[in-house]
Amino acid sequence: MSGLDPETVMQFLFALRKRGVTDARVLAAMEQIDRGRFVTGLFSDRAYEDMPLPISCGQTISQPSVVGLMTQALDVRPRDTVLEIGTGSGYQAAVLSKLARRVYTVERHRRLVSETGKLFAELGLTNITAMLSDGSFGLPEQAPFDRIIVTAAAEDPPGPLLAQLKIGGIMVLPVGQSDAVQQLIKVTRTETGLDYDELTSVRFVPLLEGLGKDET
């Protein structure tokens, strides 16, 4: 966000802190990534407000405070490999790229994969690999992962994703019916099983199986 005026940056970071994003590493990562690069069209002038906004393919870019809270709960370490389910605008993956060694992000809409891949290259985010895939099955060829983040809501944490989480690994995802308020939960895989923590109420698009219609 180095190209913005200091007041806009200060207001952006203040809104994050006000909503509970207090981790210094997360705040620094979000200060480095300009959300305005991920919001185009009619809503570009609202890129720095703490609100979700529509993007291509009927998807949304999450509000910054939710991105911050999910990233904070994920507790990413510098040597971690992270799997993101639901690339969307690419904003969440970009923030994670400043914290992790490697980010794999999968998306069911071809158009979004193409758009975000170009943007990651323009921003020099070389540790992100974006690919077209059915995210409900994860990415078994690169598993296991230190951290997994899901940016779409499932009724329950998907079994294939839990299976791809390392011992000691953390997964953060929204859980609940798609037409109701969901709970953001943190799942930690231990030697003896899975620990679940409820974090806050959220609202995300549903996690769908299969690939989206081929957008041109």
Side-chain angles (χ1 to χ4, degrees), residues 81-146:
T81 298
V82 181
L83 172 64
E84 179 191 34
I85 305 300
T87 311
S89 70
Y91 179 60
Q92 175 73 79
V95 171
L96 290 169
S97 76
K98 295 296 182 180
L99 300 167
R101 180 177 64 85
R102 168 65 58 183
V103 177
Y104 291 94
T105 180
V106 299
E107 170 60 53
R108 63 191 298 268
H109 293 284
R110 188 181 305 276
R111 177 178 173 181
L112 293 178
V113 175
S114 175
E115 290 175 352
T116 56
K118 292 174 184 175
L119 185 52
F120 295 149
E122 289 175 13
L123 297 174
L125 304 177
T126 57
N127 63 336
I128 304 177
T129 301
M131 60 192 70
L132 182 70
S133 180
D134 181 347
S136 59
F137 295 103
L139 199 62
E141 60 269 29
Q142 298 294 340
F145 297 95
D146 300 289

Side-chain angles (χ1 to χ4, degrees), residues 94-212:
V95 171
L96 290 169
S97 76
K98 295 296 182 180
L99 300 167
R101 180 177 64 85
R102 168 65 58 183
V103 177
Y104 291 94
T105 180
V106 299
E107 170 60 53
R108 63 191 298 268
H109 293 284
R110 188 181 305 276
R111 177 178 173 181
L112 293 178
V113 175
S114 175
E115 290 175 352
T116 56
K118 292 174 184 175
L119 185 52
F120 295 149
E122 289 175 13
L123 297 174
L125 304 177
T126 57
N127 63 336
I128 304 177
T129 301
M131 60 192 70
L132 182 70
S133 180
D134 181 347
S136 59
F137 295 103
L139 199 62
E141 60 269 29
Q142 298 294 340
F145 297 95
D146 300 289
R147 302 288 188 267
I148 299 176
I149 185 169
V150 185
T151 60
E155 290 189 24
D156 296 293
L161 300 184
L162 291 172
Q164 292 172 37
L165 193 61
K166 285 183 180 178
I167 300 294
I170 295 170
M171 180 162 68
V172 174
L173 76 163
V175 170
Q177 300 289 342
S178 61
D179 58 348
V181 174
Q182 305 130 5
Q183 280 295 314
L184 188 66
I185 68 168
K186 175 180 177 179
V187 185
T188 305
R189 188 171 186 184
T190 69
E191 294 280 358
T192 56
L194 298 166
D195 291 340
Y196 295 85
D197 294 299
E198 289 192 0
L199 303 177
T200 188
S201 296
V202 289
R203 195 155 198 166
F204 279 83
V205 297
L207 180 66
L208 301 175
E209 290 189 4
L211 299 180

